[in-house]
Amino acid sequence: DAGVIQSPRHEVTEMGQEVTLRCKPISGHDYLFWYRQTMMRGLELLIYFNNNVPIDDSGMPEDRFSAKMPNASFSTLKIQPSEPRDSAVYFCASSKQTPYNEQFFGPGTRLTVL
Amino acid sequence: QQPVQSPQAVILREGEDAVINCSSSKALYSVHWYRQKHGEAPVFLMILLKGGEQKGHEKISASFNEKKQQSSLYLTASQLSYSGTYFCGTETGGTSYGKLTFGQGTILTVHP
């Protein structure tokens, strides 16, 4: 089975532009997570979904960030407008609802906002 | 609140052992351990549940002290491939079931 798929792998954009990151979780997984990783802040959870429903978005930095999960096999994270401080690696992860619920991470999207 | 990992960095020679610690101020349901190599995604190593159950790679061992909300990862007879950044992720369960909060990471470097 394929792992978590993310696109694009790299994104370079200019300040003020809209950015959309995409994620396809592992088939059959119930949870989907969006993380952001920077040197300064480490690996921080932005939002997570259970069965396509957002459960906790307390990590979303501000209104410029939004996430959707229209179906079990697709999710997007959108930044509008983007700012240089949004530059980071964004990971999507998924897990299956079991007592262990280990998370499987996608390869990440490296975002650079100029 | 983010769990605290110690040490921040470890340097070993092949064959040496290391222990990485993770401490939380909250009551925990589980502790997860992940390893991330430079430029790659974090990879699951082990999970320890409240109550004693655990699941993970055969060559990795860890402990979970539920009373102290602390976990330790034991790396024995280290190999070059063990190099990377190790993260613990803590889960409080309940309404936050499935949600992990990660520590700041421990950088492990193994030299020949």
Side-chain angles (χ1 to χ4, degrees), chain A residues 11-110:
Chain A
E11 177 80 31
V12 180
T13 190
E14 292 188 348
M15 183 173 62
Q17 296 298 305
E18 177 179 298
V19 176
T20 299
L21 311 181
R22 297 173 176 80
C23 175
K24 176 179 170 55
I26 294 172
S27 177
H29 279 195
D30 311 282
Y31 287 87
L32 184 138
F33 306 84
W34 282 101
Y35 291 94
R36 179 173 67 177
Q37 187 175 38
T38 61
M39 288 295 292
M40 290 295 295
R41 301 177 67 89
L43 189 60
E44 48 181 349
L45 178 67
L46 299 177
I47 184 171
Y48 77 105
F49 296 83
N50 179 217
N51 292 324
N52 314 337
V53 176
I55 302 300
D56 186 339
D57 65 354
S58 59
M60 297 286 261
E62 47 198 275
D63 292 345
R64 297 185 298 106
F65 285 69
S66 63
K68 294 182 179 179
M69 192 165 186
N71 56 61
S73 58
F74 183 65
S75 178
T76 59
L77 178 69
K78 185 177 293 186
I79 308 172
Q80 165 64 15
S82 58
E83 297 182 1
R85 58 189 169 130
D86 301 331
S87 297
V89 179
Y90 291 82
F91 288 105
C92 174
S94 69
S95 69
K96 189 170 179 60
Q97 186 163 349
T98 69
Y100 299 108
N101 59 31
E102 61 263 44
Q103 295 186 17
F104 295 86
F105 283 74
T109 295
R110 181 173 295 277

Side-chain angles (χ1 to χ4, degrees), chain B residues 1-5 21-31 64-71 88-92 101:
Chain B
Q1 193 170 359
Q2 188 181 38
V4 177
Q5 290 184 230
N21 301 300
C22 175
S23 180
S24 175
S25 59
K26 296 185 176 182
L28 300 177
Y29 167 75
S30 71
V31 179
F64 178 23
N65 185 323
E66 297 173 29
K67 289 184 179 180
K68 294 185 177 181
Q69 309 307 327
Q70 294 174 346
S71 178
C88 69
T90 55
E91 180 186 10
T92 55
T101 303

